[in-house]
Amino acid sequence: MSFVLEFIVSLLIVLGGVFVLVGSVGLVKLPDLMTRLHAPTKATTLGLGGVLLGSMLFFLGAEGELSIHEVLITLFLFITAPVSAHFIAKAWLHRHPEHKGELSPTGRRYGWSTYDPGPGDQVGEGRRDAVRRS
Amino acid sequence: MATHKNERSFLQRWLPHPLLTIVLVVLWMLLLNSFTMGGLVMGLFLGIVIPIITSNFWPERPPIRAYGKALAFMLLVAWDVIVANIHVARLILFRRADQLHTRWVTVPLELDSPEAITVLAGTITMTPGTVSSDLSADGRSLLVHCLDAPDAEEAVMQMKSRYETRLKEIFQ
């Protein structure tokens, strides 16, 4: 493996490591759950991306074959990260109905789906409980 | 739905989502990371069986109209993700937490297919300082949490013009 390739691979891995570190720093530094949620959903995507790109280049240079696993890891990350972030945000909204007043208005006749029933919804026991608490 | 099921043709029953079949076979071959005949047979088996088993969960085909535009959109998002990473990293490292303009904003949606709204919400989560957190009960507006947005109007306008207009061209 040539020096140039080795240099690029190590640069990518270090860069990736720096971004993952920044994501972790964000988790410690930011004040509450909703702001903390920003750190892992973003700062880590480029961190992991850098490490994976480095890994691809390494296998291309060292063994002369293209490794596709890294592309798949990126794909799965892009599918799962927003969904889990959305779940965490919704769980937070459920646990903290006292913050309901801080949310911006929907601009529609109906409220946010975490708190309010929509058109044609049967207001069941759980929902009614959530509405009463808020 | 029962009457609809009987009208399905042979092909629709055994290959309900041809595109999903192709995606699954390609995905399986990529997971193996090397080409073998046995692997291809297994991939084809999974590619045919999984869409049949799961077809009840999504009776409609994904309504993508323009594949070229979808690809361009993915490249745009990839670029934005890189910019977002650097932007958020700078906010985390160099801005004091009490000086962040954290706020909730509402994005009124013009999109109406669930697939398009899912892609938009996912894109918003992956890009500059925004996490999509909730949908209004009638599914017509999106609640977005901004890490640092001095101007709420501008943040909403940017999300709508940059992503939603493009998604509208892809899905509608």
Side-chain angles (χ1 to χ4, degrees):
Chain A
M1 199 158 73
S2 72
F3 172 76
V4 180
L5 194 65
E6 222 165 90
F7 181 77
I8 295 173
V9 168
S10 41
L11 196 74
L12 280 169
I13 292 174
V14 170
L15 201 74
V18 167
F19 272 102
V20 173
L21 183 68
V22 169
S24 315
V25 169
L27 276 184
V28 176
K29 195 183 157 189
L30 294 169
D32 55 38
L33 186 139
M34 279 314 296
T35 48
R36 277 187 201 139
L37 200 51
H38 289 275
T41 49
K42 279 169 219 86
T44 52
T45 43
L46 195 60
L48 203 67
V51 173
L52 292 174
L53 205 63
S55 157
M56 272 182 100
L57 278 177
F58 173 79
F59 280 109
L60 197 64
E63 294 172 16
E65 60 182 43
L66 193 64
S67 173
I68 323 264
H69 277 169
E70 286 82 354
V71 180
L72 287 183
I73 296 173
T74 316
L75 187 72
F76 292 145
L77 183 80
F78 267 67
I79 296 171
T80 52
V83 175
S84 44
H86 189 83
F87 279 179
I88 293 170
K90 279 201 86 134
W92 183 83
L93 289 172
H94 268 290
R95 293 284 302 273
H96 296 276
E98 70 271 18
H99 290 290
K100 190 185 171 188
E102 295 164 20
L103 308 183
S104 51
T106 55
R108 311 280 306 173
R109 272 176 51 217
Y110 302 95
W112 296 111
S113 61
T114 304
Y115 297 120
D116 298 324
D121 266 3
Q122 293 284 334
V123 179
E125 215 24 70
R127 265 285 174 70
R128 206 178 293 139
D129 192 43
V131 172
R132 206 185 302 129
R133 267 191 296 137
S134 58
Chain B
M1 278 320 247
T3 51
H4 183 72
K5 223 170 208 170
N6 293 335
E7 287 163 16
R8 278 193 199 164
S9 71
F10 178 81
L11 196 68
Q12 274 173 325
R13 186 172 304 152
W14 293 104
L15 276 178
H17 297 285
L19 201 65
L20 180 64
T21 304
I22 295 169
V23 169
L24 282 171
V25 173
V26 171
L27 210 63
W28 182 255
M29 295 318 287
L30 292 181
L31 272 174
L32 289 178
N33 229 2
S34 62
F35 186 85
T36 57
M37 207 56 207
L40 183 66
V41 171
M42 187 66 194
L44 278 172
F45 174 75
L46 290 175
I48 291 169
V49 167
I50 291 175
I52 293 171
I53 294 174
T54 59
S55 65
N56 278 344
F57 295 118
W58 46 330
E60 312 286 331
R61 306 249 170 107
I64 296 178
R65 297 267 179 277
Y67 284 94
K69 277 181 181 151
L71 193 70
F73 180 77
M74 280 159 91
L75 291 177
L76 176 89
V77 170
W79 172 250
D80 280 1
V81 166
I82 295 172
V83 175
N85 273 277
I86 296 165
H87 181 71
V88 171
R90 275 175 56 196
L91 284 182
I92 289 171
L93 291 178
F94 304 119
R95 190 79 73 85
R96 280 182 43 200
D98 53 4
Q99 284 176 340
L100 289 172
H101 301 276
T102 309
R103 69 169 80 226
W104 297 96
V105 299
T106 305
V107 181
L109 294 171
E110 283 162 45
L111 300 165
D112 42 24
S113 83
E115 291 88 355
I117 294 174
T118 309
V119 174
L120 179 69
T123 310
I124 285 174
T125 298
M126 299 305 281
T127 48
T130 47
V131 170
S132 53
S133 310
D134 204 358
L135 202 62
S136 71
D138 59 350
R140 302 304 302 146
S141 38
L142 197 64
L143 180 66
V144 176
H145 186 263
C146 295
L147 183 59
D148 182 52
D151 187 355
E153 293 270 313
E154 197 202 311
V156 172
M157 273 313 293
Q158 211 202 341
M159 276 181 258
K160 281 185 78 76
S161 64
R162 204 166 168 81
Y163 306 122
E164 197 186 20
T165 44
R166 285 183 170 82
L167 282 174
K168 240 162 62 185
E169 286 171 8
I170 293 169
F171 283 99
Q172 283 164 1

